[in-house]
């Protein structure tokens, strides 16, 4: 809660020593463009970092608090920003299997045979992903003929599990083992929700 009095009293002497006779060596090289006070970076490794919010101070102390109380939503936003999580990109997710997302009419006869005969796709279910029950299974759980059809379409186990099954065929321990749990945790999933279906996070009902 804000106080009714200033937190710090002004001193009678400066708190910073006079400048040195020779300039000190700069330890940081300025960038070409100013940086934002709060940022969320994507790195190639997992790491946690704290974002710093800069406060503008006045030259003289005031008799009223500088910061006003924040409503709950904004306070939560600042809390989230102050505990920014930096995560690595899933390289598999960056390699999109373009053939799977081509229109049915653009597939050749061999590819249509893999899709229909081995994987049970129709033209409609192929053109509308999420409408074929085979997509509910991870690659490991596919029948041999289904796995053969997926491979014939250029979908290996990693591509299938990521882009077709979206890891819904995994247990939470499988996600954690492969480092994918961090993505689902950000969306509000945890082990109980994922494995036991106790509930779903709010993000499941959100548009992009």
């Amino acid at each position: 809660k804000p106080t009714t009095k200033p937190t710090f009293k002004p001193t009678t002497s400066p708190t910073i020593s006079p400048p040195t006779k020779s300039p000190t060596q700069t330890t940081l090289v300025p960038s070409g463009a100013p940086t934002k006070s709060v940022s969320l970076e994507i790195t190639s490794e997992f790491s946690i970092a704290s974002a710093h919010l800069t406060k503008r101070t006045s030259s003289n102390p005031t008799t009223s608090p500088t910061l006003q109380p924040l409503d709950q939503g904004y306070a939560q936003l600042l809390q989230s920003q102050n505990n920014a999580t930096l995560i690595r990109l899933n390289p598999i997710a960056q390699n999109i299997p373009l053939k799977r997302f081509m229109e049915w009419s653009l597939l050749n006869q061999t590819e249509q045979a893999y899709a229909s005969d081995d994987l049970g796709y129709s033209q409609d279910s192929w053109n509308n992903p999420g409408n074929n029950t085979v997509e509910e299974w991870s690659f490991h759980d596919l029948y041999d003929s289904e796995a053969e059809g997926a491979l014939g379409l250029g979908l290996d186990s990693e591509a299938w599990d990521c882009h077709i099954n979206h890891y819904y065929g995994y247990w939470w321990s499988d996600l954690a083992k492969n480092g994918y749990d961090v993505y689902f945790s950000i969306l509000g999933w945890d082990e109980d929700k994922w494995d036991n279906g106790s509930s779903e996070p709010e993000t499941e009902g959100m548009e992009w």
Side-chain angles (χ1 to χ4, degrees):
K1 295 181 180 179
T3 59
T4 56
K5 297 179 181 180
T7 307
F8 300 100
K9 296 180 180 180
T11 59
T12 57
S13 59
T15 57
I16 303 176
S17 303
T20 57
K21 294 181 180 180
S22 59
T24 57
Q25 184 176 358
T26 303
T27 57
L28 297 178
V29 179
S31 60
T35 57
K36 298 180 180 179
S37 57
V38 179
S39 62
L40 179 64
E41 301 178 14
I42 302 299
T43 66
S44 59
E45 300 293 336
F46 287 104
S47 61
I48 304 296
S50 297
H52 299 284
L53 297 178
T54 58
K55 296 185 179 67
R56 183 178 299 174
T57 57
S58 58
S59 56
N60 298 314
T62 60
T63 57
S64 60
T66 304
L67 299 177
Q68 299 297 323
L70 300 172
D71 61 61
Q72 185 177 5
Y74 191 61
Q76 289 176 350
L77 174 62
L78 290 182
Q79 182 182 9
S80 174
Q81 291 173 336
N82 275 313
N83 296 281
T85 301
L86 306 184
I87 62 172
R88 69 175 177 86
L89 291 173
N90 180 355
I92 303 169
Q94 309 309 303
N95 188 20
I96 300 174
L98 298 179
K99 189 181 296 295
R100 170 59 190 92
F101 302 104
M102 294 172 60
E103 290 281 343
W104 177 268
S105 60
L106 298 178
L107 301 177
N108 61 40
Q109 290 184 347
T110 300
E111 292 166 343
Q112 288 181 355
Y114 279 131
S116 60
D117 299 345
D118 295 330
L119 291 168
Y121 280 101
S122 64
Q123 180 174 345
D124 181 65
S125 61
W126 178 269
N127 289 340
N128 296 277
N131 289 291
N132 187 348
T133 55
V134 73
E135 298 175 359
E136 299 173 5
W137 302 99
S138 68
F139 190 91
H140 174 76
D141 294 322
L142 295 178
Y143 291 117
D144 290 343
S145 59
E146 293 171 336
E148 182 180 349
L151 292 171
L153 292 168
L155 297 164
D156 61 13
S157 60
E158 290 185 338
W160 179 274
D161 289 349
C162 178
H163 296 280
I164 310 303
N165 178 247
H166 306 297
Y167 302 116
Y168 284 118
Y170 282 40
W171 294 100
W172 188 264
S173 59
D174 298 323
L175 296 176
K177 179 180 178 180
N178 290 280
Y180 304 145
D181 58 322
V182 62
Y183 309 121
F184 292 97
S185 294
I186 292 173
L187 293 173
W189 289 98
D190 57 31
E191 185 172 6
D192 182 51
K193 292 176 182 177
W194 187 266
D195 287 352
N196 303 320
S198 58
S199 62
E200 290 185 345
E202 293 181 357
T203 54
E204 283 297 286
M206 293 181 180
E207 295 182 355
W208 180 262

